[in-house]
Amino acid sequence: MRSAAFWAFAAGTALLSPAAAFYLPGTAPRDYLVGEPIDVFVNTLTPMLNSKLKSLISHDYYDERFHFCQPPGGPVAQPESLGSILFGDRILSSPYEIRMMENTTCQTLCRSRVPREDAKFINDRIKEDYGLNFIIDGLPSSEMKRDSKTGEIFLDAEGFNLGDDETEPDRPALNNHYDIYIQYHARDAHHFRVVGVLVYPRSVDSLVGSNEANCFDDRQLHLSETNDNELYYTYSVSFLESSVPWGLRWDSYLHVFDPKIHWFSLINSLVIVGFLVFMVAMILWRTISKDISRYNAIDLSEEVQEDYGWKLVHGEVFRQPQRPMVLSVMVGNGAHLAIMAIVTLLFALFGFLSPSNRGSLATVLLICWTLFGCVSGYVSARTYATLGGEQWKPNLVLTAILFPTIVFSFIGLLNVFLIGASASGAVPFGTILAVLLLWFLISAPLSVGGYFYGMKHGAFSSPVRVNSIPRQIPPKPWYLRTYQAAILGGILPFGAAFVELYFVLSSLFGNRAYYAFGFLFLTFTVVALTTATVTVLFTYFVLCAEEYRWHWRAFLIGGGSAFWMFAYGVWYWASRLSLGSFTSVVLYFGYLSLFSLLDFLVGGSIGYIAAHFAIRRLYSSIRVD
């Protein structure tokens, strides 16, 4: 009880102020002296989510078509985590020279020559709302904005615009001057810490025609697509004192948009799932207890009615379903993914995924997926044995390699499209090799070990015997048919998550940091509980209709929310995206299909396991002669 109270208190503390997300610093602070150089790193150019997202392809900062200024000796790649690389980060050094507490105005970075064919490429990227991303002292470049709904001021780290296509839509202007504002916190008179980075770009007509760059011209710079262009890149630096201590510097970045919508959605989902659980419990308790009492009646007189409904199929309910091997493999892999998601969300909930460690979420997901391979083997082995399967060797192999092979092949195919588009988000060969080694050397052996451990425990015992001759199945209502039940059963779990899903999709595809893990953890819990409850309810209705083939139905009903998730993704594409290239459309629907598949496996395993133990409990409560 004390342990449970502690976890409840900790979770409540993390959820009370989701806008000021709880996190651990992740890195040690660095003190700068006056005049000490501050490194400026550049990341990939990514499309920004303004009114609509127009592309999903990121570009390397030093892509030769952009003709950005390079540092002497060429850019130097910075060490990155595996998750950071998988999420598309490519962090490199830059030629910007900034020194602590030294304000500068109109510093010339370099002269750049842009050929006419590359000018068209840059203008197209401006029209697609691409943004630049700087990193200074571990903080991303941002723009200070005010939330129109809450009035809260926050730092939007989505990046800053490559150019301006709003002033003259037909003639995009290139931003070639950057006003950099560095917020600092003074520890004492000699030591300072960086607590905020703001960058405001401007377009200045500084086409090379004189010996000096002009940073103050009101005219914008338009790249000609018929002639070659020469221009200056310039920047200014200003230091602003801030009262924010170093330990809280990320609070301004981790802004939760529309917190009232999060709370309304969560409370609404909790009320619905509470009402659903209560109604299901009352219906099943009253119906089943009444049926069990009547079925166990000692006085078998003529007044006692004949068996009906779910009692009639007690000799069929544990009969082996079709394709038990495939079902057990899917249940095992779904349980694997569910445990991975739960542990990762717990790490995030209690602040272990520091925003200063870029890609930490993807890294922890990958580590959890690798280490919890034993779960898929154990669950698959016990499920297959319970279903009466005897070919354990092919089941073991399929459990370890089937779905990882499908996922890796799918991601590899999408990676080919990224390579074809010269996107920086294409996963390098070395990273692919590292992930494959994690799979072959750690995850697969753990899956084999978990499988043998599951075989050691054996099958779950059946409370009733299986008849030698299967009984005939009568016609059933349309809503209890396999696919209709799966689609109907997925409505409530999806309804509990669709609001949070909007913010997750905006984060994934819109290059926005998502840090409302308290909401996400509670939403996941509500969805899991709803999935289990709805699956048990539909399975009971199916058995009452004397349909004993419940195994695949339970899995499909549990995974039915994946259908609605994909449909919602299609709506999101039509309403929030305006993807202009075929590659971006392929990438979006490819990733959406992959997310839907993973959701199907997780929901299906939750539904099947819940239905299996509910049915065992149900039939163990009756007396069978």
Side-chain angles (χ1 to χ4, degrees):
M1 290 296 293
R2 183 177 180 181
S3 177
F6 166 76
W7 286 105
F9 171 77
T13 302
L15 295 171
L16 283 177
S17 300
F22 172 72
Y23 56 88
L24 298 178
T27 57
R30 177 177 176 179
D31 293 331
Y32 292 91
L33 300 175
V34 175
E36 187 174 354
I38 302 176
D39 293 327
V40 179
F41 300 107
V42 293
N43 205 345
T44 55
L45 277 76
T46 53
M48 301 173 66
L49 181 61
N50 294 324
S51 58
K52 283 191 174 183
L53 190 66
K54 299 178 181 179
S55 178
L56 292 180
I57 300 173
S58 58
H59 293 282
D60 190 274
Y61 182 85
Y62 291 112
D63 188 316
E64 59 183 11
R65 293 170 292 184
F66 286 112
H67 299 277
F68 287 131
C69 306
Q70 297 194 13
V76 178
Q78 303 302 305
E80 302 176 54
S81 66
L82 189 60
S84 178
I85 297 174
L86 290 175
F87 267 31
D89 286 336
R90 304 292 183 267
I91 302 175
L92 302 165
S93 60
S94 75
Y96 293 90
E97 295 182 359
I98 298 179
R99 296 183 178 277
M100 176 59 73
M101 303 303 294
E102 292 185 2
N103 296 333
T104 59
T105 302
C106 199
Q107 291 291 309
T108 301
L109 198 60
C110 73
R111 287 175 54 171
S112 179
R113 182 178 181 275
V114 180
R116 57 181 179 273
E117 57 271 14
D118 291 340
K120 183 180 187 315
F121 172 79
I122 294 175
N123 287 336
D124 289 341
R125 302 293 82 77
I126 294 174
K127 293 177 182 178
E128 292 176 343
D129 294 331
Y130 270 76
L132 282 71
N133 299 277
F134 289 177
I135 299 175
I136 299 177
D137 196 54
L139 291 176
S141 56
S142 63
E143 293 182 349
M144 185 175 293
K145 296 182 179 180
R146 181 185 296 272
D147 193 323
S148 59
K149 296 184 177 180
T150 63
E152 181 181 357
I153 296 177
F154 66 98
L155 300 182
D156 189 355
E158 192 179 4
F160 55 93
N161 289 306
L162 172 64
D164 175 20
D165 65 336
E166 295 181 356
T167 305
E168 296 183 57
D170 296 332
R171 298 181 64 210
L174 173 66
N175 290 327
N176 59 326
H177 176 84
Y178 309 125
D179 291 316
I180 303 173
Y181 297 91
I182 297 180
Q183 297 177 331
Y184 68 92
H185 179 76
R187 290 190 63 207
D188 51 46
H190 305 286
H191 297 87
F192 309 92
R193 292 176 176 177
V194 177
V195 295
V197 177
L198 298 92
V199 180
Y200 295 96
R202 289 188 287 121
S203 179
V204 180
D205 187 4
S206 63
L207 288 171
V208 174
S210 61
N211 294 328
E212 295 183 358
N214 182 4
C215 302
F216 307 103
D217 199 314
D218 293 334
R219 295 174 299 175
Q220 291 187 321
L221 171 63
H222 302 281
L223 296 180
S224 172
E225 298 182 9
T226 57
N227 299 306
D228 294 343
N229 306 268
E230 287 194 45
L231 62 139
Y232 287 107
Y233 277 101
T234 57
Y235 67 100
S236 301
V237 180
S238 299
F239 285 87
L240 306 175
E241 187 173 6
S242 173
S243 60
V244 177
W246 185 91
L248 300 179
R249 65 178 187 165
W250 277 98
D251 286 4
S252 299
Y253 287 90
L254 305 180
H255 177 70
V256 178
F257 291 92
D258 300 329
K260 292 183 179 179
I261 294 181
H262 287 274
W263 281 115
F264 176 78
S265 172
L266 184 59
I267 294 174
N268 184 56
S269 299
L270 288 172
V271 171
I272 292 176
V273 74
F275 179 75
L276 178 66
V277 171
F278 175 77
M279 290 300 295
V280 170
M282 290 300 297
I283 292 173
L284 296 184
W285 180 77
R286 294 188 62 182
T287 304
I288 294 173
S289 62
K290 183 178 180 181
D291 289 345
I292 290 175
S293 299
R294 183 165 46 195
Y295 195 78
N296 291 336
I298 299 178
D299 185 10
L300 301 177
S301 60
E302 295 181 357
E303 288 78 11
V304 178
Q305 299 178 5
E306 292 186 2
D307 296 342
Y308 68 95
W310 62 271
K311 301 182 298 300
L312 283 174
V313 295
H314 67 81
E316 318 291 339
V317 72
F318 293 104
R319 187 178 299 279
Q320 186 181 79
Q322 294 181 335
R323 295 177 288 276
M325 184 178 297
V326 178
L327 179 60
S328 63
V329 170
M330 294 175 73
V331 172
N333 280 271
H336 180 191
L337 294 172
I339 295 297
M340 176 195 73
I342 291 172
V343 173
T344 303
L345 285 175
L346 284 175
F347 270 94
L349 182 65
F350 293 107
F352 294 107
L353 303 187
S354 173
S356 61
N357 295 327
R358 302 184 67 87
S360 58
L361 176 62
T363 302
V364 172
L365 276 172
L366 189 60
I367 292 174
C368 289
W369 172 78
T370 302
L371 297 180
F372 290 118
C374 55
V375 175
S376 62
Y378 178 82
V379 174
S380 178
R382 299 207 68 180
T383 302
Y384 189 59
T386 303
L387 296 177
E390 298 178 354
Q391 299 177 335
W392 64 270
K393 291 182 180 179
N395 188 64
L396 167 61
V397 174
L398 289 177
T399 300
I401 70 171
L402 178 59
F403 282 99
T405 301
I406 293 174
V407 172
F408 287 156
S409 300
F410 202 82
I411 294 177
L413 179 62
L414 296 179
N415 202 51
V416 171
F417 281 92
L418 287 170
I419 294 174
S422 301
S424 64
V427 182
F429 176 76
T431 304
I432 295 176
L433 183 61
V435 175
L436 290 177
L437 289 176
L438 286 175
W439 175 29
F440 279 113
L441 300 182
I442 301 178
S443 181
L446 285 174
S447 179
V448 173
Y451 195 93
F452 282 110
Y453 189 68
M455 289 179 62
K456 180 180 178 181
H457 283 76
F460 290 100
S461 59
S462 299
V464 292
R465 295 190 303 270
V466 178
N467 295 335
S468 57
I469 301 176
R471 64 180 289 116
Q472 189 175 6
I473 301 174
K476 49 188 171 295
W478 66 269
Y479 56 86
L480 293 182
R481 296 173 185 171
T482 304
Y483 298 109
Q484 289 89 329
I487 294 175
L488 291 175
I491 294 178
L492 284 177
F494 171 77
F498 83 96
V499 171
E500 207 63 36
L501 181 62
Y502 172 84
F503 293 98
V504 172
L505 290 177
S506 298
S507 173
L508 287 174
F509 297 114
N511 194 37
R512 279 182 173 172
Y514 180 89
Y515 229 75
F517 290 113
F519 289 118
L520 190 60
F521 179 80
L522 285 181
T523 299
F524 181 85
T525 304
V526 170
V527 169
L529 185 59
T530 307
T531 300
T533 307
V534 169
T535 305
V536 170
L537 180 62
F538 266 88
T539 303
Y540 174 72
F541 289 154
V542 166
L543 295 177
C544 287
E546 301 179 25
E547 169 61 88
Y548 54 83
R549 296 172 300 182
W550 61 272
H551 303 81
W552 276 106
R553 280 179 170 82
F555 191 92
L556 292 174
I557 292 170
S561 59
F563 168 81
W564 296 103
M565 179 180 180
F566 188 86
Y568 182 80
V570 174
W571 174 87
Y572 185 86
W573 166 73
S575 62
R576 292 288 290 160
L577 306 182
S578 181
L579 304 179
S581 65
F582 174 75
T583 301
S584 293
V585 175
V586 171
L587 290 173
Y588 177 78
F589 281 100
Y591 289 128
L592 179 63
S593 300
L594 183 61
F595 296 152
S596 299
L597 173 63
L598 300 180
D599 177 61
F600 175 70
L601 291 176
V602 172
S605 65
I606 292 174
Y608 176 84
I609 293 172
H612 174 261
F613 284 104
I615 289 175
R616 288 186 74 248
R617 182 67 182 87
L618 173 63
Y619 283 95
S620 63
S621 302
I622 65 174
R623 187 183 64 179
V624 180
D625 295 333

